[in-house]
Amino acid sequence: MAQPRGQFGSKVGFVLAAAGSAIGLGNIWKFPYLAGENGGAVFLILYLGFVFTIGLSVMLAELAIGRAGEKNPVGAFARLKGGPWTVVGYMGVFTGFIILSFYSVVGGWTLAYALQTATGLLALSDAEALGNAFGAFVADPIGPVGYHGLFMALTVIVVARGIDTGIERACRVLMPVLFVLLAVLCVRSLTLPGAGAGIAFFLEPDFSKVSAGTVTAALGQAFFSLSLGMGAMITYGSYISHRENLPKAALWVTSLDTLIAVMAGFLILPAVFAFGFDPAAGPGLTFITLPAVFSQIPLGAFFGTLFFVLLAVAALTSAMSLLEVVVAYLVDEKGVPRAKAAWGAGMVIFLLGIPSSLSLGVWSDFTVAGKGFFDIMDYLASNVLLPTGGILIALFVGWTVYPQVMDADNGGIGHEFRWAGVWRFVCRFVAPAAIAWILVNRL
Ligand code: TRP
């Protein structure tokens, strides 16, 4: 079944595409509300600590596995070692279904908000009205499901066309625009009267606020935001040319992703305090705070619409990487034609997302341990499946395929990598032990 593999056209193209996977709703929707729920600065410190130790190491591990294996996660594990390791690949494909199902629901919210911001949402100027508008929107049983379907269809269309055409071109133009807009909005938010309390919340740690839940949330968010633990970066790594310097690429992607998350924190949290919202408001935080910021700038409806459109695109590039894991598996291992794989998997994921959407409205009474379906899916993926995948990926590289992924003659990363010793040590001991300790403590 020797189908020719697509490849990224250039070095910058790869970094932007991988950054396109990493940068998404995780940075702009999830990071600010998790920071808001988990004590602000304390969460930020833990998050940064995890990102630049465990995150960076697992990022490189995934890229290296991908390039050495030249396959989807299942195929890469099978080819490099086989046996029980292949299960890690299957776990990744499964996790892809779970994450994309609720991710696409939130992706749908961004599409809806792009439209609503263009058509009068900002007429609601006070905090309470914006909060109510969001609550009413997500609780509706029809609208959000429709937008979820639309978002999923867009994702499928791009993935069905293949890796080299759609993904790279989209990222190259739109990501820089999003970055500039984010920077401008940060300035507005930071200069709002009363923003100081938000800045203090985000930067002055109160260590009495650290709990097991905070640590798990920060670790889970590091994996989620960097697209780690389920093989997305393995799949992307399989498309990079052997001339690429992977450690450098890993550092770039990790740094860009972190920069955007921190900027989103400086955008949302000062505004939360300036407008008197509750920082622990949960998943709606970004969606109720941003319109309030837009209402405070000239041409707010225009910039607001532009922002939500760009956020939808950022979410789309992330969603593509999630669907790509599933599709690459079906194409490589099962010989399914790409378009058929994309539409089929997309349909299943759409259906799986419906209960997530409904759990914020008509099905809100159905809860397990106080969590609705949406929260259960998110918790299962971010705080259980991704960190567990991270342990196994780190162990796999540290103990099993290290010589293979280092072998410079076969596309390995051995040449010019000064930190190989440290990296191996982190993969062998530090990352697995730290993640396992956090998971066990939480249970
Ligand atoms: N990292 C993306 C975000 O922050 C979401 C994402 C894309 C993801 N691919 C992933 C998360 C793979 C976990 C695993 O929005």
Side-chain angles (χ1 to χ4, degrees), residues 17 19-21 23-24 167 170-171 175 236 312-322:
S21 166
I23 298 166
I167 299 183
C171 298
M175 287 295 129
Y236 271 32
V313 172
L316 203 60
T317 56
S318 303
M320 277 151 37
S321 76
L322 286 159

Side-chain angles (χ1 to χ4, degrees), residues 303-341:
F303 285 109
T305 307
L306 182 63
F307 186 84
F308 279 115
V309 168
L310 290 171
L311 182 55
V313 172
L316 203 60
T317 56
S318 303
M320 277 151 37
S321 76
L322 286 159
L323 186 60
E324 179 63 23
V325 172
V326 178
V327 168
Y329 161 69
L330 292 170
V331 171
D332 288 349
E333 307 302 311
K334 299 284 169 205
V336 182
R338 177 168 268 275
K340 210 170 163 187

Side-chain angles (χ1 to χ4, degrees), residues 1 3-6 66 69-76 89-90 92-93 96-97 100 159-160 162-163 167 230-239 319-343 345-346 349:
M1 215 91 48
Q3 308 214 13
R5 285 187 86 67
E70 292 196 301
K71 289 260 188 185
N72 67 87
V74 174
Y90 285 112
V93 174
F97 277 94
L100 191 47
V159 172
I163 192 88
I167 299 183
M230 54 83 68
M233 290 297 165
I234 294 180
T235 310
Y236 271 32
S238 75
Y239 297 115
M320 277 151 37
S321 76
L322 286 159
L323 186 60
E324 179 63 23
V325 172
V326 178
V327 168
Y329 161 69
L330 292 170
V331 171
D332 288 349
E333 307 302 311
K334 299 284 169 205
V336 182
R338 177 168 268 275
K340 210 170 163 187
W343 284 103
I349 292 166

